[in-house]
Amino acid sequence: MPPARAAGGAGYESYVGHLAWQVMAESGHFPAHVPATLRGAKRAPAMTPAELVDRHNVTDPDIHALFVAYLTRRSHDIDYSTLRDIAADLCGKFWTGVRKVNPAQADLALAPEDYESWRAVLEIRGDGQPRLSTDAVLTTIRAFYVDIQGWAAQEPERWARWVSLPHWQEGNQVTGENETPRQGTHGWPNTPASTAPSCFRGRCDRPPGPPA
């Protein structure tokens, strides 16, 4: 069945989806970089991982390099729309929110009180309305921590300095990429503290430096 058209309309502009996109664009529901028409959005070229990070004004050079490296690696096994969504959750909803809570945050080892404050920020959208997709965002962030933990075992020189075991969620486990433990709606990476190297128990002792 062909898409519905507005009465008297002709051409792609009259399709309901295009009209809805135009209304949302004109009412300010999209960020400034989003094309004003659905056709324009479909034709927009894919952004590089660096460009995806740049959209969210990540100013810390080390964190910027980390996110670019992470998205670059993930880009090899996921489609572009998924990569774009991960970038929005990781750089926008997560890191932007963390920096609102603690402007001095420079690594992934969030203090328990900062994590709770960030969760409160996450619950509210930019327009002041409750966010309905918090679980999806938390899943993305949880996967990020778990991926870093798993990759650090394979390439410690590149990823180990970023490994963090948020102690407020020890005991939650789930399984996922690289068979690293994961669990729980709000779970985070877990490695037994008695067997984990110092990097896996919080802040890493490795000298700082951006990912290679």
Side-chain angles (χ1 to χ4, degrees), residues 11-114:
Y12 85 93
E13 294 88 351
S14 64
Y15 280 77
V16 171
H18 291 276
L19 291 173
W21 186 282
Q22 181 179 351
V23 169
M24 294 181 70
E26 291 176 350
S27 58
H29 282 275
F30 297 145
H33 64 268
V34 175
T37 66
L38 183 55
R39 171 175 283 185
K42 289 182 175 180
R43 289 181 173 178
M47 293 184 176
T48 66
E51 290 171 335
L52 289 172
V53 175
D54 289 341
R55 292 170 64 184
H56 301 283
N57 194 31
V58 178
T59 57
D60 184 300
D62 285 354
I63 294 294
H64 185 282
L66 169 65
F67 289 161
V68 171
Y70 179 76
L71 293 174
T72 298
R73 180 151 179 172
R74 290 301 313 276
S75 69
H76 300 316
D77 53 29
I78 58 177
D79 59 56
Y80 175 71
S81 63
T82 301
L83 185 72
R84 183 184 57 205
D85 291 344
I86 290 175
D89 286 350
L90 182 60
C91 304
K93 299 180 183 70
F94 175 60
W95 191 250
T96 297
V98 166
R99 290 301 293 265
K100 287 180 180 178
V101 169
N102 180 7
Q105 186 72 38
D107 57 22
L108 304 180
L110 276 64
E113 60 272 19
D114 288 344

Side-chain angles (χ1 to χ4, degrees), residues 120-205:
V121 170
L122 179 65
E123 297 289 340
I124 305 299
R125 300 185 323 200
D127 60 4
Q129 297 300 311
R131 189 183 303 280
L132 302 179
S133 59
T134 56
D135 284 350
V137 177
L138 290 166
T139 296
T140 298
I141 305 310
R142 182 170 65 245
F144 168 67
Y145 273 75
V146 172
D147 288 338
I148 296 298
Q149 179 176 317
W151 298 346
Q154 304 164 9
E155 301 177 85
E157 71 286 351
R158 182 168 190 173
W159 303 104
R161 69 162 295 209
W162 297 110
V163 173
S164 175
L165 172 60
H167 54 277
W168 60 89
Q169 288 290 345
E170 287 185 13
N172 287 343
Q173 298 184 7
V174 293
T175 49
E177 186 172 339
N178 299 322
E179 300 302 319
T180 305
R182 306 182 186 185
Q183 173 173 325
T185 302
H186 305 316
W188 293 80
N190 178 66
T191 299
S194 60
T195 60
S198 59
C199 289
F200 288 75
R201 297 198 297 269
R203 296 180 184 274
C204 182
D205 296 333

